Amino acid sequence: MNIHEYQAKERFRAAGVPVPPGEIATTPEEAEAIARRFGGTVVVKAQVHSGGRGKAGGVKLAKSPEEAREHASRILGMEIKGLKVMKVLVTPAEEIATEAYVGVLMDRKTQAPMFMVSAEGGIDIEEVAATKPEAIRKLRVDPRYGMLPHQGYWLANALYDDPGLVKQASKVITQLYQAFVDSGASMAEINPMISTTSGEVKAIDAKMSIDDSELFRRPEVAAMRDTSDEPPAETKARDAGLSFVKLDGNVGCCVNGAGLAMATMDLVKYYGGEPANFLDIGGSSNPDKVIAALEIITADPNVKAILFNIFGGITRCDDVANGIAEAAKRIDIKLPVVIRLTGTNEEQGIKILADAGFSAFTSMDEVVQKAVELAKA
Ligand code: GDP
Ligand code: MN
């Protein structure tokens, strides 16, 4: 789950990271009022789940409250990488001396948090990584011990020569690690971490992604979810307890179990088709889940055929069949549906579906080939 800059800044502040104050506006008038309260120059910043806002014109300096209103009216409603800006953060502007990059992410290769820091921070860090990797210092943190003091210093030493700045940066890096761990994050980033003209180190941008599996034990973090720039199908799937990933093909897949769902997608491709989605309805055969799954699949205009692949184990085929029959009563399915049911209570399941006007099969190859043909026809 991605969170907004202003939310990441709240998490950073809670861990002690020095972050300038800021308030959220949803209208130009609110932005003006906030700017007036802060006084002086402010920065108006688009809040969307995307980087590169500065380059897209989503970060603007305003010397007066009126100018803050003007910038806010241009930024609110703007699209950045396909995402519509609904909120802006208004924050006092800092006098920047230098901009550095500090990030930590869960690294799969080393199975540990990995820090990356660079003195060449700011808006072009991706380019630095691509063209000048030696300008980035990396460090793996052993999660059993956490960030050790000398490690923070070693990283901070790559950023500054001045011992006062190194000391502050080392503290910020350690606090960032704390925010990362406390939030169940998979990535946390300060870009830029600035030194001000008066010699203070601060985080003026913040980015954080939360590991979805960490959310259940952190309701205060889960509450930060903003679905406004999320595809509606994903919101609906999550609310219904389905694992769903939209893809670009035309065979809509509805499968129980993540492994079987992956195997089904492989087989669709093997027979020359393209899956429209990954969808795991899980172990339950709750008709509401089947209905939600069908609603999500049929809402995708690319889908030309629907493929059910159900392997009955703990999930009973008759339960799933009832779910499909019930769903067909409640929603008008105009697309061809191909069903494979096998395992626990398959005969009952096939009979229930036959009564509801569907034919179900037991061979996976057979139904996948059928679905691919129907989607092409
Ligand atoms: P991003 O482009 O989405 O990463 O947004 P950032 O928050 O990183 O802002 C982009 C750039 O705007 C920064 O690298 C700074 O150069 C500039 N900027 C952001 N906040 C301030 C500020 O408070 N004062 C000044 N002078 N520049 C700022
Ligand atoms: Mn940034």
Side-chain angles (χ1 to χ4, degrees), residues 321 341 345-355 358 360-362:
L341 273 184
N345 294 357
E346 69 180 48
E347 292 85 11
Q348 292 95 312
I350 290 171
K351 165 132 198 348
I352 290 163
L353 286 171
D355 292 344
F358 293 101
F361 306 85
T362 55

Side-chain angles (χ1 to χ4, degrees), residues 266-346:
D266 281 349
L267 209 56
V268 167
K269 290 201 80 117
Y270 178 79
Y271 285 117
E274 285 293 336
N277 62 277
F278 167 94
L279 197 161
D280 171 15
I281 59 168
S284 144
S285 37
N286 178 345
D288 289 335
K289 274 196 176 181
V290 179
I291 291 165
L294 275 168
E295 281 172 351
I296 289 165
I297 292 173
T298 52
D300 177 351
N302 293 335
V303 173
K304 298 289 178 263
I306 302 171
L307 167 63
F308 273 88
N309 188 7
I310 305 298
F311 186 86
I314 296 169
T315 302
R316 290 167 34 185
C317 290
D318 52 334
D319 283 345
V320 177
N322 276 322
I324 298 173
E326 183 60 34
K329 265 188 245 161
R330 286 199 235 166
I331 57 174
D332 180 21
I333 309 166
K334 296 196 177 68
L335 297 166
V337 181
V338 186
I339 304 167
R340 182 239 187 171
L341 273 184
T342 193
T344 311
N345 294 357
E346 69 180 48

Side-chain angles (χ1 to χ4, degrees), residues 53 122-123 189 191-192 205-206:
R53 297 164 307 164
I123 54 181
E189 189 181 271
N191 187 31
D205 190 12

Side-chain angles (χ1 to χ4, degrees), residues 148-171:
L148 302 173
H150 70 278
Q151 295 179 314
Y153 273 96
W154 184 71
L155 288 171
N157 260 309
L159 305 179
Y160 306 110
D161 292 327
D162 179 88
L165 295 179
V166 169
K167 195 171 173 189
Q168 291 180 62
S170 154
K171 202 169 161 193

